[in-house]
Amino acid sequence: QVQLVESGGGLVQAGGSLRLSCAASGSISSINTMSWFRQAPGKQRDVVARITSSGSTYYADSVKGRFTISRDNAKNTVDLQMNSLKPEDTAVYTCSLLHVSGRYWGQGTQVTVSS
């Protein structure tokens, strides 16, 4: 079993920055992918960014150049640095881990960007 705990959400003005963190614990295989998803009210949950245990990254077009995902394999943590935030970035952000045993989700953290 894997547990994921996010932190770092909150309220910020447009143009500001936030840093989200996620800590994974439990039985985690060394080969895995950690991701951040987000879901705005009335919309589907979409991937924002992901990073493999080897360091390969992917970003949604909407966040390229503004968000940076990073991880610490020794600590099983993943961070999402969000800069130049826009009101349309407002959503619940959820951390996810995918490995051989399946996909696991955190509880989510609210990010609200005011205009």
Side-chain angles (χ1 to χ4, degrees), residues 2-94:
V2 176
Q3 296 79 41
L4 300 167
V5 178
E6 302 104 333
S7 61
L11 173 65
V12 65
Q13 288 188 332
S17 299
L18 280 175
R19 188 177 184 87
L20 304 182
S21 296
C22 174
S25 61
S27 181
I28 302 169
S29 62
S30 59
I31 299 174
N32 62 75
T33 298
M34 298 188 80
S35 307
W36 286 96
F37 288 76
R38 69 184 181 187
Q39 186 170 23
K43 295 188 177 181
Q44 67 179 23
R45 182 165 56 188
D46 292 321
V47 63
V48 175
R50 62 174 177 255
I51 183 167
T52 68
S53 46
S54 62
S56 297
T57 58
Y58 163 85
Y59 295 94
D61 287 343
S62 59
V63 306
K64 281 182 181 177
R66 300 189 297 124
F67 291 11
T68 302
I69 190 169
S70 59
R71 65 183 290 165
D72 184 327
N73 287 338
K75 297 180 179 179
N76 286 322
T77 58
V78 62
D79 291 344
L80 185 68
Q81 177 65 42
M82 305 186 293
N83 298 328
S84 302
L85 283 161
K86 304 175 181 180
E88 50 263 44
D89 293 318
T90 295
V92 175
Y93 285 70
T94 306

